[in-house]
Amino acid sequence: MSRSPFAPNAEADESAMLDAVGVSDVEELFDIPEKDRFDGEFDIEARSEPEVKALVSDMLAENDDLTEFMGRGYYDHYVPSVVDRLSMRSEFLTSYTQYQPEVTQGFLQALFEYQSILVELTGLPVANASMYDTASGLAEAALLASRIRQADGTVVLIPDYVRGDRVSVLENYIAGHDIQIERFATDDGTAGLDALEAAIDDETLMVYVESPTTRGTIEEHLEAIGDFAHDHDAMFTVGSDPVAMAILEAPGDLGADVVVGEAVLGMPNAYGMGLGIFATRDDYLRHVPGRLIGIGDDQDGNRAFTLTLQTREQHIRRERATSNICTNQAWVALRMAMHASQLGPDGLTDLATEMVELPRQLAGELDELPGIEAPVHDRHHFREFVARTDEPAESIVDELESAGFAVQAVDEHELQFTVTETNQHAIPDLVAAVEEVVA
Amino acid sequence: MRHYDQATFSEDDSPVYERLLSEKFGTEVAVEDTPLPDELTRDTLELPAPAEPELSRHYVRLSQQNYAVETGPYPLGSCTMKYNPPFTEDVAADPSGMVHPDRSAESVQGNLELLYQLQEYLAEIGGMADVTLQPPAGAAGEFTGNRIAAAYHEAHDEGHRSEVVVPDTAHGTNPASAAMAGYDVVEIPSGEDGRVDLEALEAAVGEDTALFMLTNPNTLGLFERDIEEIAEVVHEAGGLVYYDGANLNALLGRARPGDMGYDIMHYNVHKTFATPHGGGGPGAGPVGVVDELTDFLPNPQVDKQGEDFELVEPEQTIGKVHDFKGNWLVLIKAMAYIARLGDSGLCDTSASAVLNANYLAEQIDLEIPFDPFHHEFVASAGDLDASNMAKRMLDFGVHPPTTKWPEIVSQALMTEPTEAESKQSLDQLADAFNGAFNAGDEELSSAPHRTTARRIDQADAARNPRLSWHALDDE
Amino acid sequence: MSFDIPDNLYYTESHEWVDPETGKIGLTDFAQDELGDIVFVEFPGVGDHLETDSELGVVESIKAVSDVYSPVSGAVTDVNETLEGEPELLNEDPYGDGWLVELDLDSTDEVEALLTPDEYETHL
């Protein structure tokens, strides 16, 4: 049997260890009945390190090199090298959850700083140390609403612009609970106040809207929507992201009870891997899912950090825990805090400002072309917008792909374009390619 | 005896180890002249604004106040902290794979091939028919498994099944995931030998049973020798059997859950396939199922048609369990690790892990009530408080085991050294165990002494929650 | 280790005490010591009627959560809200300022059927 390169015991040590244990062969230590033994082979060939690198890079080279103008809940921002350098330090990368706070002050402080940055951005006093993604945050918000039951209702109201995958995740989380989802209509790309007013009643448990929305629009009536929800004792949950919240009024100041969303900062495009933010009000502190880092003095009277309020969590409360979440996205949270600090408040507001200007610019240029109208919605946009096309959207997507661009079709005659600082240089080429395709 | 001091950097004039970013660099700016109407924008934003060199020093200092696998042994039972080979980071950083999750299948054949390959590897290793890679953590995998069980029962007009059965030694995530999926949890006591008590199981299962969740080797490190009978009891009652993959690393190459009667399983890729845990995550919790259940897997699955890879929707899919495609970077690392080790390396991993646990157990003075254990054992601190013992172990420069769990062993120290430790470091760990076990009361209750922070007042932290730097403004 | 067991109270095997005069219910000295530092207490609503063995509240320490069940039946007339801000009172003064709830007892017979101080001491 060849050895694992990551199991360090030399043969001499191994025989000394076997002697100490009192067996002659390590196989004697496996107490597995013969009938349960696996005698086969996986047929996985062992490879050297360079061979594995070649294997994977050859595979990934099969991807088409497209310039992406894609978003709809997942965005590419430039992550400075310092974030990679620092977060890759093995003291961070190869540590576990901070069950022994006395030797993990560094990570605890970093997560405390992450929570603090989220508190500032969301306008809510409690932020957890991360969920998996927006969808799990949204689902946990619905479960939280149902646990608290300040309303008798069981219906979660969701505008029809929300990403379908997100709703599908929510459906899975509520499937075993007495909660139903109802969609309500949008009005020119944002939540329709009339539709919401018609849909909301005492059966409503929670109202969810996004700003910016999946379609890139900025909700202009968050406060009014929150008032609707609270008038019916329903919880008000807002989906947003840290870049947008750097300039938008904090959702917590507009009545949001919970804020969820993607961290966006700290993680470049990684095929959907990110971090779900989750922030809420003090009243719900004991119902918050996931980990919380707090402050407690140590024996010498020094300020120190620790996981706190752990009785909410699965390892103590088991089936009555606020959530089953254990492993979260802590390392991404560390990177998010680094990235936000590297930008600072000026850098972050500048970036956010650009995210309002860039889609305006791109939409303006596309609107000049025949066969395309952009943006569809007469709203303020953030990073992205929907355009209407005369030709079927799917066929335009295919042709643009052949021309080296990736965009999203969101309806039969609707395309969505997302632009950030990472692809803005390609705007002229994109516009030229679209012109050729729609002409 | 080896001792060790952790970095502290406390300042003479301050009782704090490292100042907060906000204290050092807090900056408030006015938010004005944005292209948005004023009523939509905030007035000010207050965040730290360190210059990049300052930012670097801050985080390097924090890193030096953090224990990690590359700092020393990390024998947290059940959590399985093993060495994370750095080449997997290089492989994951390949810019070609850094694409948007909504890209068309035709344009990301490379990503899909990698995912397909990992699905195939995992199915083979677990003895399962097919695997989803979407769940972003082990607990999310458990939840996915529960949802698959629910969908299966509903499809067979057995939707009334309302209970999930777990042994009292189950990881907390098992009952929590079942409850999250809407099930009532029924806990059964372990038998005197620390394994599933077949009679208790028979009494607990019935027409309401949807699922029985069981890890193997179990939490005590014991192989559930009756696993086939256990599966039969549950199957006869119409339930399914779920394998919690937390301990799969002990079986690699020697036994497969799919061959023992399990129907659904999750894999913890950081425990079994050495992806770094990153201080709490991200992880990945792929879920494998037997043939009968493949139609219920989350959407989409990666499939291969001829030379092409496709995204397909399973016929009776439960839908999605992640907004996008799960934790891609973690999945690449797992795939690369498996490809590096191959059959023989994987087999050696379990052998070395089991030998290391058994050797360490021989070297310590504590009683270990249950055996024969495999990759982990649960020692008892006897009359001592296991938490105090753990704090004292920190002073020896090692991370202590998981404490006070499972409760079946009094003052439990659940210990899993993994294959990554050499004989020398196991001896160091044993010194730490024995040093703490034989220490006096005062030495134990005042520990730790050589760490960044001394013992932290948990009660105060919980009674007066201060969860952001905003909460410190009043102090 | 010896624990304080006042003479004027009745006790349960699960370490609650009941004052037959006032209808107050709390946790015993032994219970608070077993639980360790109490950090959070959850109460029933004032006005709720509690049946015997129904859930009276939840007491949390750092690493454990314990349900408290009512040893007797009655309507809740008051809860000790001071514990919300100072849960440590339950550790410091379990029979005094650390009481949990006050009931308008349905019957004193129910209380007298509980353990006497001597019987509780034997139970410990």
Side-chain angles (χ1 to χ4, degrees):
Chain A
M1 180 167 77
S2 81
R3 304 299 306 263
S4 158
F6 314 116
N9 280 319
E11 238 164 73
D13 286 335
E14 193 178 283
S15 57
M17 289 164 71
L18 288 170
D19 285 349
V21 174
V23 294
S24 55
D25 189 322
V26 68
E27 296 304 328
E28 294 171 41
L29 296 173
F30 284 91
D31 179 40
I32 304 175
E34 202 48 50
K35 60 184 168 47
D36 295 324
R37 294 259 179 176
F38 171 65
D39 293 326
E41 297 273 321
F42 300 145
D43 284 328
I44 304 170
E45 153 202 8
R47 295 171 176 86
S48 70
E49 198 172 294
E51 283 169 347
V52 175
K53 285 185 175 175
L55 172 77
V56 175
S57 82
D58 287 352
M59 267 185 200
L60 297 181
E62 294 297 315
N63 287 342
D64 296 342
D65 185 13
L66 304 181
T67 305
E68 297 173 346
F69 283 81
M70 306 183 100
R72 291 182 64 77
Y74 193 74
Y75 307 101
D76 191 29
H77 285 292
Y78 175 74
V79 178
S81 297
V82 69
V83 173
D84 281 334
R85 170 77 75 93
L86 294 172
S87 67
M88 289 286 190
R89 288 183 65 90
S90 59
E91 297 93 330
F92 288 134
L93 188 65
T94 77
S95 66
Y96 197 71
T97 305
Q98 299 75 26
Y99 290 137
Q100 295 292 343
E102 292 84 0
V103 290
T104 45
Q105 284 298 297
F107 216 120
L108 285 164
Q109 179 167 342
L111 290 173
F112 180 86
E113 313 229 51
Y114 162 83
Q115 290 177 181
S116 303
I117 291 169
L118 262 291
V119 166
E120 174 69 21
L121 289 166
T122 60
L124 288 167
V126 179
N128 78 5
S130 71
M131 310 299 309
Y132 310 126
D133 54 8
T134 308
S136 59
L138 169 59
E140 293 276 12
L143 296 179
L144 188 157
S146 130
R147 268 199 303 282
I148 289 172
R149 288 274 176 212
Q150 60 181 23
D152 295 330
T154 57
V155 176
V156 176
L157 291 176
I158 294 200
D160 61 14
Y161 55 63
V162 177
R163 188 181 165 91
D165 293 339
R166 191 162 289 163
V167 180
S168 178
V169 176
L170 176 63
E171 282 168 348
N172 259 317
Y173 274 80
I174 63 165
H177 304 265
D178 182 19
I179 303 175
Q180 300 84 42
I181 300 171
E182 259 179 46
R183 312 291 293 263
F184 64 97
T186 42
D187 172 19
D188 200 15
T190 59
L193 292 184
D194 293 340
L196 175 60
E197 197 174 3
I200 200 165
D201 56 25
D202 291 343
E203 290 304 305
T204 308
L205 174 69
M206 180 174 104
V207 177
Y208 173 70
V209 297
E210 298 173 343
S211 185
T213 67
T214 304
R215 288 168 79 88
T217 54
I218 292 173
E219 280 287 357
E220 290 165 33
H221 304 291
L222 283 184
E223 199 158 19
I225 297 167
D227 288 345
F228 275 137
H230 294 149
D231 285 348
H232 292 84
D233 292 329
M235 204 168 82
F236 181 38
T237 297
V238 173
S240 191
D241 74 75
V243 179
M245 286 186 287
I247 56 168
L248 292 179
E249 182 138 20
D253 292 340
L254 294 169
D257 300 304
V258 178
V259 173
V260 300
E262 286 294 320
V264 177
L265 296 173
M267 189 50 66
N269 248 0
Y271 205 39
M273 171 166 148
L275 175 171
I277 63 175
F278 190 99
T280 189
R281 297 162 20 160
D282 268 333
D283 311 2
Y284 302 156
L285 178 58
R286 298 201 170 259
H287 298 275
V288 169
R291 299 203 175 104
L292 291 168
I293 285 81
I295 284 183
D297 287 350
D298 81 352
Q299 220 165 321
D300 292 340
N302 290 346
R303 183 174 78 197
F305 302 90
T306 180
L307 294 175
T308 194
L309 301 169
Q310 291 187 67
T311 46
R312 297 167 298 109
E313 293 188 61
Q314 46 76 28
H315 60 287
I316 294 176
R317 228 189 190 98
R318 299 174 76 84
E319 68 270 20
R320 290 168 62 194
T322 54
S323 169
N324 69 338
I325 191 169
C326 180
T327 289
N328 56 16
Q329 305 286 110
W331 185 69
V332 186
L334 169 79
R335 291 174 59 101
M336 187 278 173
M338 288 173 174
H339 191 176
S341 303
Q342 196 271 350
L343 289 170
D346 278 318
L348 196 52
T349 50
D350 285 352
L351 176 63
T353 300
E354 234 185 314
M355 294 310 107
V356 178
E357 287 165 347
L358 285 174
R360 212 175 264 188
Q361 181 200 333
L362 176 57
E365 292 186 33
L366 290 174
D367 199 44
E368 299 285 305
L369 306 178
I372 187 162
E373 179 197 338
V376 166
H377 303 303
D378 183 22
R379 301 283 182 197
H380 300 288
H381 289 83
F382 201 86
R383 292 196 195 94
E384 58 196 323
F385 59 90
V386 175
R388 188 173 294 117
T389 60
D390 292 346
E391 297 296 315
E394 287 290 356
S395 68
I396 299 177
V397 167
D398 290 345
E399 288 184 61
L400 281 176
E401 202 166 292
S402 314
F405 296 95
V407 302
Q408 286 150 298
V410 293
D411 207 343
E412 226 169 296
H413 289 276
E414 282 185 352
L415 288 179
Q416 190 156 335
F417 294 88
T418 306
V419 56
T420 71
E421 75 282 12
T422 63
N423 59 359
Q424 94 179 89
H425 63 275
I427 288 180
D429 294 339
L430 173 76
V431 173
V434 173
E435 183 168 18
E436 197 147 302
V437 169
V438 296
Chain B
M1 198 171 278
R2 184 178 141 172
H3 287 276
Y4 133 117
D5 286 295
Q6 205 184 18
T8 51
F9 313 114
S10 52
E11 296 169 31
D12 288 343
D13 58 345
S14 156
V16 166
Y17 308 104
E18 173 72 0
R19 310 290 291 171
L20 287 165
L21 276 169
S22 58
E23 292 165 335
K24 290 190 284 188
F25 310 111
T27 308
E28 182 168 332
V29 302
V31 177
E32 51 198 11
D33 302 328
T34 75
L36 294 172
D38 280 350
E39 64 268 23
L40 292 181
T41 59
R42 60 165 69 226
D43 297 333
T44 59
L45 179 66
E46 189 175 353
L47 287 175
E52 202 173 294
E54 296 168 318
L55 180 83
S56 289
R57 282 195 186 143
H58 178 73
Y59 282 106
V60 168
R61 286 198 157 201
L62 291 187
S63 77
Q64 289 167 327
Q65 298 172 343
N66 213 60
Y67 194 92
V69 165
E70 290 189 21
T71 314
Y74 219 131
L76 275 174
S78 227
C79 303
T80 316
M81 288 296 283
K82 48 168 72 177
Y83 178 69
N84 313 126
F87 80 94
T88 63
E89 296 300 323
D90 287 351
V91 168
D94 190 328
S96 305
M98 303 294 263
V99 295
H100 192 281
D102 291 346
R103 284 272 295 264
S104 68
E106 302 76 45
S107 75
V108 290
Q109 287 291 296
N111 281 30
L112 298 189
E113 181 177 0
L114 187 140
L115 294 175
Y116 183 79
Q117 181 66 73
L118 182 56
Q119 284 175 194
E120 295 281 295
Y121 280 167
L122 294 180
E124 187 62 31
I125 289 168
M128 292 283 149
D130 205 353
V131 172
T132 171
L133 304 175
Q134 204 178 107
E142 293 174 14
F143 175 75
T144 303
N146 272 270
R147 288 290 303 134
I148 289 171
Y152 168 83
H153 289 308
E154 258 163 50
H156 291 81
D157 292 326
E158 296 271 318
H160 64 273
R161 292 182 178 269
S162 59
E163 291 176 354
V164 168
V165 183
V166 299
D168 56 4
T169 55
H171 301 116
T173 48
N174 290 181
S177 298
M180 207 150 171
Y183 284 113
D184 297 328
V185 176
V186 178
E187 202 174 87
I188 56 168
S190 299
E192 272 178 23
D193 64 352
R195 297 184 174 86
V196 170
D197 178 342
L198 264 177
E199 278 178 27
L201 179 68
E202 274 166 3
V205 299
E207 56 186 30
D208 289 333
T209 306
L211 193 66
F212 176 56
M213 301 178 80
L214 178 68
T215 186
N216 196 13
N218 68 20
T219 299
L220 296 164
L222 313 177
F223 191 85
E224 295 282 355
R225 296 184 60 94
D226 294 335
I227 183 59
E228 291 187 29
E229 290 80 354
I230 290 168
E232 207 177 298
V233 166
V234 178
H235 287 151
E236 265 179 23
L240 297 171
V241 187
Y242 184 94
Y243 181 79
D244 175 336
N247 295 337
L248 179 65
N249 57 315
L251 298 185
L252 278 178
R254 289 185 170 69
R256 307 190 305 173
D259 301 336
M260 301 171 202
Y262 285 102
D263 305 296
I264 311 175
M265 69 177 288
H266 80 262
Y267 307 74
N268 291 90
V269 300
H270 86 268
K271 298 179 188 183
T272 311
F273 306 113
T275 62
H277 200 258
V287 170
V289 294
V290 295
D291 235 347
E292 266 186 288
L293 299 171
T294 55
D295 278 351
F296 301 98
L297 284 170
N299 181 39
Q301 275 296 101
V302 183
D303 201 4
K304 189 176 183 183
Q305 287 294 333
E307 290 303 299
D308 296 330
F309 298 92
E310 301 181 333
L311 290 171
V312 298
E313 180 170 349
E315 257 173 54
Q316 292 171 280
T317 180
I318 60 164
K320 296 213 65 175
V321 293
H322 185 266
D323 238 328
F324 308 106
K325 304 278 194 295
N327 280 331
W328 165 243
L329 296 180
V330 180
L331 297 170
I332 305 183
K333 293 175 207 178
M335 187 273 179
Y337 179 84
I338 296 170
R340 172 89 173 90
L341 262 57
D343 278 47
S344 53
L346 291 169
C347 236
D348 180 51
T349 296
S350 46
S352 297
V354 171
L355 177 58
N356 278 2
N358 278 272
Y359 174 75
L360 176 61
E362 279 300 322
Q363 307 307 307
I364 66 174
D365 302 339
L366 291 79
E367 192 205 350
I368 300 168
F370 294 99
D371 61 13
F373 46 81
H374 290 80
H375 63 303
E376 68 185 5
F377 59 83
V378 182
S380 170
D383 294 335
L384 301 180
D385 181 294
S387 308
N388 281 347
M389 233 194 92
K391 295 300 179 201
R392 185 61 184 142
M393 286 179 75
L394 292 171
D395 285 331
F396 289 84
V398 302
H399 198 284
T402 303
T403 55
K404 297 199 172 178
W405 194 79
E407 285 162 4
I408 187 171
V409 173
S410 111
Q411 299 299 336
L413 290 158
M414 187 190 194
T415 312
E416 179 177 9
T418 83
E419 73 278 8
E421 302 307 327
S422 65
K423 176 171 177 292
Q424 195 184 17
S425 79
L426 294 170
D427 289 338
Q428 183 199 349
L429 253 177
D431 282 348
F433 265 99
N434 296 335
F437 187 57
N438 297 310
D441 283 349
E442 165 57 24
E443 195 182 324
L444 284 178
S445 59
S446 65
H449 298 269
R450 298 161 178 267
T451 48
T452 309
R454 301 283 309 282
R455 189 87 63 105
I456 296 166
D457 187 348
Q458 299 285 344
D460 179 50
R463 284 171 183 161
N464 310 299
R466 285 162 290 172
L467 307 175
S468 75
W469 57 53
H470 304 76
L472 297 174
D473 288 348
D474 308 331
E475 296 195 352
Chain C
M1 203 162 190
S2 83
F3 296 99
D4 195 15
I5 305 175
D7 288 339
N8 60 326
L9 306 175
Y10 285 89
Y11 299 88
T12 69
E13 288 186 3
S14 50
H15 313 290
E16 290 99 8
W17 56 262
V18 184
D19 184 336
E21 296 296 316
T22 61
K24 278 185 179 166
I25 297 176
L27 297 183
T28 66
D29 192 24
F30 173 83
Q32 70 78 20
D33 186 73
E34 278 287 296
L35 288 166
D37 292 333
I38 306 293
V39 299
F40 183 68
V41 182
E42 207 177 295
F43 298 114
V46 172
D48 289 1
H49 186 270
L50 300 181
E51 299 299 326
T52 306
D53 295 331
S54 66
E55 198 173 299
L56 173 150
V58 179
V59 173
E60 287 186 25
S61 62
I62 294 299
K63 297 227 160 128
V65 183
S66 310
D67 294 322
V68 184
Y69 297 98
S70 185
V72 290
S73 61
V76 180
T77 52
D78 201 2
V79 300
N80 186 2
E81 281 172 14
T82 322
L83 291 179
E84 285 173 7
E86 298 172 74
E88 56 271 29
L89 288 175
L90 214 156
N91 292 114
E92 291 162 6
D93 191 8
Y95 301 108
D97 291 343
W99 62 279
L100 288 173
V101 304
E102 186 186 270
L103 297 190
D104 181 10
L105 299 171
D106 284 353
S107 94
T108 45
D109 292 354
E110 232 185 333
V111 182
E112 283 160 13
L114 299 175
L115 303 179
T116 64
D118 284 346
E119 286 166 343
Y120 182 59
E121 190 166 7
T122 315
H123 171 67
L124 288 185

